[in-house]
């Protein structure tokens, strides 16, 4: 076999991949991190939930993390049918607290990658891994493409941190589909141009209730605006099968958005939001370790997804270290890693639910301002917020919003 050899190759430089690479490079391991994206990929802002200072310290990013944390942005809640609207403003809380703040994912990923590099990991961007290299069932490296060239590299351990792509899970037949996540269809795209900027100038994030669902419009770094249309299955089917027809069926209901979309440049195809959880039948085996969403995918907008990926990566780094040292029976080490990863996944899945269960109305207002929650929590949340008059400064509009929210969610 041709190609240079490394101790560890990590596929994907997201939250999980950059964390594994950092921790192993800090131990003096020879680590290569391969990332398919060209530079900083634009991301919607996310919510920091479950980030641990101790881990951020280990990674050497604790001092800089404040630069990528912001107070949660205000969210405009709008009923397209009645024109009623109000703004959710969220108390940013204590500034020393890492939780519940808006996380600039583009900046955070760049910070984690840079920290991994400064610890000695080599990073190659524009490098898309296509397949593992196998020898007698063992993963011994990867084949990747960079600038039109196909390159083979060997490694003692390959860590798959490729997120939902689950590259090794697919290639090794480990990926097992689980439950469908939600009785809705969601399709998104990105747009650029003055019309979209004007639409989002007053409110960087709008949740617009439409017939049979809602639309989320959110500003992103790099002058992009993300538009996500979420419809109950019946409403979605009435617009047709294709992603485009579902998206346009929703957007056409809101005149101002329709006009802005028509005058803007679409910079991403119409893409479906993944609506099926999956897990891997094994999280580690001969020559490979899976981590982050490449190992378990439980919710497209999971609000603890970043911290879960990073905590899992800490476990994965420990496993790889022990495998490289040759300490312990590999099968026992794989089983121990998988068991600890499962405990982490279940705990992290439960934490946001416990928090919601124990929430006061003001905490629910914080939740309502979180763009992924309308997908993953009870559909009653928005109705309850609107109906209970919990929306600050909106007392005279809550009836209209509440009625619109009941209609929007009546199907699902
Ligand atoms: C709209 C939305 C909102 C969300 N909101 C939140 C939130 O508020 N809080 C939260 O904690 N989580 C949130 N999440 C979940 C969070 O984004 C994920 O759980 C987290 O990013 C998973 O980290 P990861 O490292 O496993 O994967 P990713 O961050 O997806 O990283 C995977 C990396 O691998 C690269 N890659 C993929 N395939 C290849 C390949 N073949 N070769 C080389 N590189 C490859 C990708 O380019 C990417 O950089 C949200 C997700 C979405 C979609």
């Amino acid at each position: 076999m041709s190609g240079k050899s490394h101790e560890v190759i990590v596929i994907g430089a997201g939250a999980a991949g950059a964390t594994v690479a950092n921790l192993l490079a800090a131990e003096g391991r020879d680590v290569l991190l391969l990332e398919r994206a060209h530079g900083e990929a634009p991301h919607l802002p996310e919510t920091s939930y479950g980030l641990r200072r101790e881990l951020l310290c280990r990674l050497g990013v604790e001092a800089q993390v404040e630069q990528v944390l912001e107070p949660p942005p205000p969210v405009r809640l709008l009923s397209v049918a009645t024109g009623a609207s109000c703004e959710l403003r969220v108390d940013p809380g204590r500034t020393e607290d890492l939780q519940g703040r808006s996380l600039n994912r583009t900046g955070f990923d760049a910070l984690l990658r840079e920290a991994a590099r400064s610890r000695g990991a080599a990073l190659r961007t524009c490098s898309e891994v296509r397949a593992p290299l196998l020898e007698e069932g063992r993963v011994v490296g990867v084949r990747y493409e960079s600038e039109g060239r196909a390159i083979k590299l060997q490694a003692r351990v390959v860590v798959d941190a490729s997120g939902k792509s689950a590259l090794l899970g697919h290639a090794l037949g480990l990926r097992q589909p689980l439950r469908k996540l939600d009785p809705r269809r969601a399709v998104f795209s990105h747009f650029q141009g003055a019309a979209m900027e004007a639409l989002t100038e007053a409110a960087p994030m709008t949740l617009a209730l439409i017939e049979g669902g809602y639309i989320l419009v959110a500003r992103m770094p790099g002058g992009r605006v993300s538009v996500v249309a979420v419809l109950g299955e019946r409403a979605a089917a009435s617009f047709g099968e294709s992603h485009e027809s579902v998206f346009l069926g929703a957007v056409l209901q809101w005149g101002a958005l329709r006009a802005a979309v028509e005058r803007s440049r679409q910079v991403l195809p119409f893409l479906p939001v993944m609506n099926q959880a999956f897990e891997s039948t094994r999280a580690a085996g001969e020559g490979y370790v899976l981590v982050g969403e490449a190992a378990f995918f439980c919710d497209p907008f999971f609000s603890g997804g970043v911290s879960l990926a990073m905590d899992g990566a800490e476990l994965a780094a420990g496993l790889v270290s022990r495998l490289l040292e040759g300490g312990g029976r590999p099968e026992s080490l794989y089983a121990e890693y998988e068991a600890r990863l499962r405990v982490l996944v279940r705990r992290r899945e439960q934490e946001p639910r416990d928090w919601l269960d124990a929430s006061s109305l003001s905490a629910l207002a914080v939740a309502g301002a979180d763009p992924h929650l309308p997908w993953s929590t009870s559909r009653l949340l928005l109705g309850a917020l609107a109906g209970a008059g919990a929306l600050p400064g909106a007392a005279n509009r809550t009836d209209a919003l509440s009625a619109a929210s009941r209609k929007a969610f009546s199907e699902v």
Side-chain angles (χ1 to χ4, degrees):
M1 187 185 302
S2 65
K4 190 174 175 291
S5 180
H6 295 268
E7 277 186 304
V8 186
I9 289 178
V10 181
I11 309 170
T19 300
V20 171
N22 182 317
L23 296 174
L24 289 170
E27 285 177 12
R29 298 289 176 195
D30 159 31
V31 184
L32 174 66
L33 186 53
L34 295 172
E35 167 57 49
R36 71 178 170 194
H38 299 256
E40 293 182 0
H43 275 283
L44 273 178
E46 297 183 352
T47 310
S48 62
Y49 186 86
L51 288 185
R52 287 187 297 120
R53 277 200 192 276
E54 184 210 346
L55 178 54
L56 296 172
C57 276
R58 272 195 81 192
L59 297 172
V61 298
E62 209 241 352
Q64 299 102 307
V65 80
E66 279 299 330
Q67 293 160 15
V68 294
L69 287 172
E70 289 152 19
V75 179
R76 182 167 64 124
L77 188 57
L78 165 76
S79 160
V80 164
T82 66
S85 75
C86 65
E87 192 178 72
L88 292 172
R89 273 197 178 274
V90 177
D91 176 0
R94 293 171 303 144
T95 47
E96 69 272 19
D97 194 350
L98 294 175
Q99 314 307 332
R101 291 165 71 189
S102 179
L103 179 68
N104 172 342
R105 258 317 284 282
T106 311
F108 188 55
D109 283 10
L111 182 62
L112 292 178
R113 285 176 195 181
E114 202 35 56
R117 268 161 44 113
S118 74
R119 290 274 163 88
L123 169 67
R124 269 181 224 164
T125 54
C126 306
S127 299
E128 178 159 9
V129 176
R130 297 290 190 179
L133 301 178
L134 298 170
E135 261 178 27
E136 294 168 6
R138 182 184 173 88
V139 176
V140 294
V142 299
R143 178 169 59 76
Y144 74 98
E145 270 186 30
S146 184
E147 294 166 354
R149 283 187 316 138
I151 301 161
K152 287 180 181 176
L153 285 181
Q154 295 178 62
R156 287 176 64 195
V157 182
V158 174
V159 177
D160 183 6
S162 64
K164 288 186 276 295
S165 312
L167 187 107
L168 286 190
H170 276 292
L172 304 178
L174 305 170
R175 191 178 172 284
Q176 177 173 301
L178 297 175
R179 65 191 189 284
K180 190 172 174 196
L181 289 163
D182 202 280
R184 300 177 222 188
R185 270 187 77 181
V187 181
F188 70 100
S189 184
H190 293 172
F191 298 87
Q192 256 176 343
M196 274 295 181
E197 271 174 36
L199 184 78
T200 52
E201 190 155 9
M205 197 172 282
T206 296
L207 196 70
L209 300 165
I210 56 170
E211 189 94 15
Y214 62 90
I215 302 175
L216 175 71
V217 178
R219 272 195 175 192
M220 304 175 70
R224 287 185 178 210
V225 172
S226 167
V227 180
V228 191
V230 184
L231 290 168
E233 278 167 350
R234 215 155 12 99
S238 72
F239 296 123
E241 264 311 300
S242 73
H243 303 317
E244 180 173 357
S245 57
V246 170
F247 183 90
L248 294 178
V251 166
L252 290 181
Q253 295 185 44
W254 178 8
L257 178 61
R258 173 192 179 161
V261 163
E262 280 170 359
R263 282 183 276 131
S264 303
R265 197 154 43 87
Q266 186 177 355
V267 290
L268 199 73
F270 298 107
L271 295 173
V273 174
M274 194 150 128
N275 194 9
Q276 177 132 40
F278 67 79
E279 66 176 24
S280 303
T281 47
R282 302 192 65 180
E286 293 290 285
Y288 71 87
V289 175
L290 312 180
V291 69
E293 287 188 341
F296 293 99
F297 176 73
C298 43
D299 186 329
F301 305 153
F302 187 46
S303 55
V306 172
S307 52
L308 176 58
M310 293 173 71
D311 289 349
E314 197 177 23
L315 296 178
L319 169 66
V320 174
S321 227
R322 289 175 73 187
L323 289 171
L324 291 174
E325 280 161 13
R329 270 188 44 242
E331 280 302 332
S332 317
L333 296 176
Y334 305 151
E336 184 190 327
Y337 169 67
E338 190 170 316
R340 293 182 68 188
L341 204 55
R342 280 183 189 280
V343 170
L344 201 60
V345 171
R346 299 299 160 240
R347 201 172 64 217
R348 278 270 183 270
E349 270 186 322
Q350 194 53 41
E351 276 170 2
R353 288 181 199 137
D354 291 346
W355 178 75
L356 268 177
D357 284 349
S359 285
S360 61
L361 268 182
S362 64
L364 283 177
V366 179
D370 200 330
H372 45 72
L373 278 170
W375 172 277
S376 59
T377 62
S378 160
R379 63 183 179 271
L380 297 177
L381 178 60
L382 282 174
L385 280 171
L391 305 177
N396 56 350
R397 298 175 178 171
T398 52
D399 283 353
L401 276 168
S402 183
S405 124
R406 271 198 301 277
K407 204 164 176 196
F409 293 112
S410 60
E411 255 199 90
V412 288

